[in-house]
Amino acid sequence: MAHESKINELLEKREQAKLCGGEERIKSQHKKGKYTARERIEKLLDEGSFEEYDMFVSHRCVNFGLEKEVYLGDGVVTGRGTIDGRVVFIFSQDFTVLGGSLSESFAKKICKIMDQAMKVGAPVIGINDSGGARIQEGVNSLAGYAEIFMRNIAASGVIPQISAIFGPCAGGAVYSPALTDVIIMSDKSSYMFVTGPKVTKTVTGEDITTEDLGGATIHATKSGVAHFRVENEDEGLLVIRKLLEYLPQNNLEDPIATECTDPIDRVEDQLNEVIPENPNQPYNVKDVIYHIVDKHEFLEMHQHYAKNIVVGFAKFNGIPCGIVANQPNFLAGVLDIDASKKAARFVRFCDAFNIPIITLVDVPGFLPGSIQEYGGIITNGAKLMFAYGEATVPKITITLRKSYGGAHDVMGCKQLRADVNYAWPSAEIAVMGPKGAIEILEGRKISEITDVRERVKYIAEKENEYKEKFANPYDAAKYGYIDDVIEPRNTRFRIIRALQTLATKKDHLPPKKHSNIPL
Ligand code: HXC
């Protein structure tokens, strides 16, 4: 009997904790189209797999009457569970408890699961929905954040860290998600900014709404802070599950290869026709991607940001790979500051987690002009070059069409230690395009031809001469910079065979404390 009352006490406490900040606040959360912290966890993890930690933790603050407002669990639900049978650690901020604001105890709960995730070698998923530092706790709250930041930094490149933003995320609180690998934001119900609209107005006079300052659309299109903008929380949770299919548990493991029912030698005749006759005509590189990957499935990251380069995950014969592809459909696939940063970050993400990188090249060069130069295209382009050069995972580069100048070097060329470099017969690998080259090489001669028709004829002749010499893959193949020129329709098979060979690849960098990537 004595035991029974004790057990009842436990069950009551559990029920109390599950009430979060009370029914009214739960209703208000639902009214905003948001799930509660526990609902999110239930929807994300395998059914019945969640084991909650620290359900009975509460805050210890007595400032501003907070001692009368104590909630079991204190504004964050933490624990572990599984996704597709794989262990993950998770924290989910509970907006119904003091606006999900972060106290010292709250931070300790998050740190506890992060520490265990590091020891076990399992991903950490953070669901953010919080008013930021708990104001009543003062510096203890700031210290709590810094404890989390420090763990984010230590865990970076060791275990995958994924952040979903399903509500407010403001002030310094944004820096924990920013230190993780991936940020997913729900449309119209989440925002991230270092300083909100009110402070912005006071300090700068700028009048701006919450949505325009830090909504999902802004971060998915303009700042690049968000890798995914999702319609709603359900879609966001699905993206987390999908992402994990491509990631290993930690940096000492390979991503998990799955059984592949898509024939590895699937010939795609359409690919032989995909490159337009006119080299200046665009096409959608995603059509190429969908044709070559398993089951036409491609999980694109940063879909709406720097659209001149496409990055994302797919599988080849069940092997998770990262794909980087110039997009001729947008700004002719030119490399600019944003595209360089986007791709560099992605290449490093893949390399950190042993994910082979497949690069599809069709790049006319770097974007010229003062805006790019003043913005530091030199440093930013160097980031991408650095990322490729440093990456030791299997690297396969396919040149589809243009590969000009510095951009040729940057986009996974042989000398940046790509393992296998193939080119389609439509490839043009040269220092620059024919028009620019002839203007430079023949400029003086051209200006001396006074007859317009003669001049046009001369330019055309010279451009043709240049095209014959350089606008093809064979000059690069002659020097062994391209390992083979392949038929486009066989690309899938050729990539898969290369991946099979490279599965046991070992490569390394010289010993050093760390590199000094041009940040
Ligand atoms: C304590 C907080 C809180 C906070 C919200 N609440 N934020 N309590 N500390 N930071 C409480 C509210 O008092 C309220 O309690 C409940 O949470 C819900 O908040 P509402 O304002 O009613 O909700 P809503 O209208 O939806 O507005 C949400 C909000 C707003 C936009 C997030 O609450 C807000 O602006 N909060 C402050 C944001 C902020 O400036 N935080 C500090 C950032 S600086 P009741 O009892 O009424 O339900 C920071 C530094 C971190 O974070 C540094 C790390 C380096």
Side-chain angles (χ1 to χ4, degrees):
M1 274 305 168
H3 280 318
E4 195 179 316
S5 70
K6 284 188 177 167
I7 287 168
N8 283 340
E9 185 189 6
L10 167 68
L11 296 180
E12 271 166 34
K13 276 186 185 290
R14 283 202 192 287
E15 283 312 305
Q16 194 189 334
K18 283 181 186 162
L19 257 185
C20 316
E23 272 166 12
E24 275 312 303
R25 291 195 182 97
I26 292 176
K27 267 193 211 152
S28 145
Q29 182 85 343
H30 286 159
K31 247 192 230 160
K32 290 182 208 156
K34 294 160 70 179
Y35 292 126
T36 63
R38 279 196 177 76
E39 285 165 349
R40 287 164 178 160
I41 291 175
E42 265 166 40
K43 283 173 190 293
L44 177 65
L45 300 184
D46 295 340
E47 203 180 335
S49 71
F50 183 53
E51 303 260 352
E52 187 168 341
Y53 292 7
D54 291 337
M55 192 186 231
F56 309 116
V57 161
S58 55
H59 73 75
R60 282 171 282 177
C61 179
V62 292
N63 300 330
F64 298 97
L66 212 58
E67 70 278 9
K68 294 189 210 93
E69 223 180 324
V70 177
Y71 300 90
L72 289 183
D74 193 41
V76 65
V77 182
T78 59
R80 68 179 147 78
T82 59
I83 290 183
D84 289 331
R86 292 162 60 190
V87 174
V88 296
F89 287 79
I90 186 161
F91 67 86
S92 180
Q93 298 173 344
D94 183 353
F95 191 80
T96 69
V97 174
L98 298 161
S101 58
L102 184 134
S103 69
E104 185 188 9
S105 313
F106 182 127
K108 279 195 170 140
K109 284 182 67 171
I110 294 178
C111 291
K112 185 193 269 187
I113 60 127
M114 291 185 78
D115 288 343
Q116 201 165 92
M118 281 288 274
K119 284 183 195 156
V120 171
V124 171
I125 295 154
I127 300 178
N128 297 265
D129 184 2
S130 162
R134 188 168 301 164
I135 296 161
Q136 299 92 325
E137 294 227 0
V139 290
N140 282 329
S141 175
L142 298 184
Y145 268 120
E147 292 279 358
I148 297 170
F149 299 155
M150 192 53 230
R151 282 162 178 80
N152 288 134
I153 295 163
S156 182
V158 180
I159 50 173
Q161 301 181 80
I162 300 173
S163 302
I165 319 293
F166 288 164
C169 186
V174 296
Y175 285 112
S176 173
L179 293 165
T180 65
D181 299 302
V182 182
I183 294 182
I184 300 158
M185 290 184 78
S186 58
D187 201 21
K188 305 281 189 313
S189 58
S190 72
Y191 54 82
M192 296 178 81
F193 36 64
V194 174
T195 34
K198 280 187 194 148
V199 179
T200 301
K201 170 90 181 146
T202 314
V203 176
T204 69
E206 186 187 5
D207 233 333
I208 190 159
T209 63
T210 300
E211 187 62 28
D212 285 346
L213 188 62
T217 297
I218 288 301
H219 286 311
T221 58
K222 275 192 190 307
S223 71
V225 166
H227 300 85
F228 292 92
R229 176 189 62 186
V230 290
E231 284 293 310
N232 50 44
E233 294 183 19
D234 286 306
E235 192 190 337
L237 297 171
L238 202 68
V239 167
I240 298 174
R241 291 186 70 99
K242 267 265 148 234
L243 260 172
L244 287 173
E245 285 180 26
Y246 299 99
L247 302 174
Q249 289 296 88
N250 56 66
N251 65 330
L252 298 179
E253 293 179 15
D254 286 332
I256 297 167
T258 47
E259 202 192 325
C260 174
T261 50
D262 194 353
I264 61 168
D265 54 358
R266 176 163 49 79
V267 172
E268 288 287 351
D269 288 332
Q270 298 98 314
L271 290 181
N272 278 10
E273 310 295 326
V274 85
I275 302 290
E277 282 288 315
N278 177 352
N280 296 324
Q281 206 174 312
Y283 62 93
N284 190 348
V285 79
K286 286 190 220 172
D287 288 341
V288 177
I289 296 173
Y290 286 121
H291 276 113
I292 61 178
V293 300
D294 289 357
K295 295 193 279 180
H296 312 285
E297 278 178 17
F298 176 54
L299 181 64
E300 186 175 355
M301 287 178 65
H302 266 151
Q303 189 180 352
H304 310 287
Y305 174 73
K307 291 195 268 188
N308 35 336
I309 204 155
V310 174
V311 301
F313 295 111
K315 290 186 181 178
F316 286 90
N317 194 24
I319 302 166
C321 292
I323 295 182
V324 181
N326 308 112
Q327 173 59 289
N329 241 358
F330 195 85
L331 294 175
V334 76
L335 275 182
D336 60 3
I337 292 170
D338 290 350
S340 303
K341 284 194 293 190
K342 167 176 162 177
R345 170 94 176 144
F346 183 73
V347 166
R348 298 192 96 223
F349 183 25
C350 291
D351 190 47
F353 290 112
N354 311 319
I355 302 166
I357 299 162
I358 315 294
T359 305
L360 305 179
V361 183
D362 189 344
V363 64
F366 278 102
L367 183 63
S370 58
I371 295 178
Q372 291 292 308
E373 295 295 348
Y374 296 173
I377 184 69
I378 298 173
T379 311
N380 287 291
K383 284 184 183 129
L384 183 52
M385 172 134 37
F386 209 107
Y388 266 113
E390 228 182 11
T392 55
V393 288
K395 294 186 282 193
I396 299 168
T397 301
I398 320 275
T399 306
L400 310 185
R401 189 169 62 175
K402 296 172 194 168
S403 185
Y404 288 149
H408 161 77
D409 276 7
V410 168
M411 291 299 302
C413 72
K414 194 58 139 187
Q415 295 72 22
L416 289 185
R417 300 197 299 174
D419 301 290
V420 174
N421 293 65
Y422 291 144
W424 285 6
S426 45
E428 303 171 16
I429 304 168
V431 173
M432 60 175 72
K435 203 170 174 317
I438 295 310
E439 265 168 28
I440 294 169
L441 294 178
E442 301 288 332
R444 197 162 50 82
K445 189 86 185 280
I446 291 168
S447 67
E448 284 166 3
I449 307 175
T450 45
D451 182 85
V452 176
R453 275 195 200 157
E454 280 300 311
R455 195 189 308 156
V456 171
K457 192 167 154 241
Y458 183 79
I459 292 172
E461 269 171 23
K462 285 289 162 193
E463 281 186 11
N464 276 340
E465 200 182 305
Y466 183 90
K467 271 187 216 161
E468 261 173 44
K469 174 124 189 71
F470 292 126
N472 61 63
Y474 300 106
D475 201 47
K478 184 170 84 183
Y479 298 103
Y481 303 151
I482 292 293
D483 299 306
D484 197 6
V485 181
I486 63 170
E487 252 201 87
R489 62 184 185 162
N490 296 332
T491 305
R492 169 175 167 78
F493 183 57
R494 300 298 293 263
I495 290 175
I496 290 173
R497 274 229 298 236
L499 281 169
Q500 285 167 340
T501 307
L502 295 168
T504 50
K505 176 188 173 186
K506 294 266 176 296
D507 204 348
H508 59 271
L509 295 162
K512 56 176 104 173
K513 186 173 174 192
H514 58 70
S515 60
N516 191 11
I517 186 165
L519 293 173

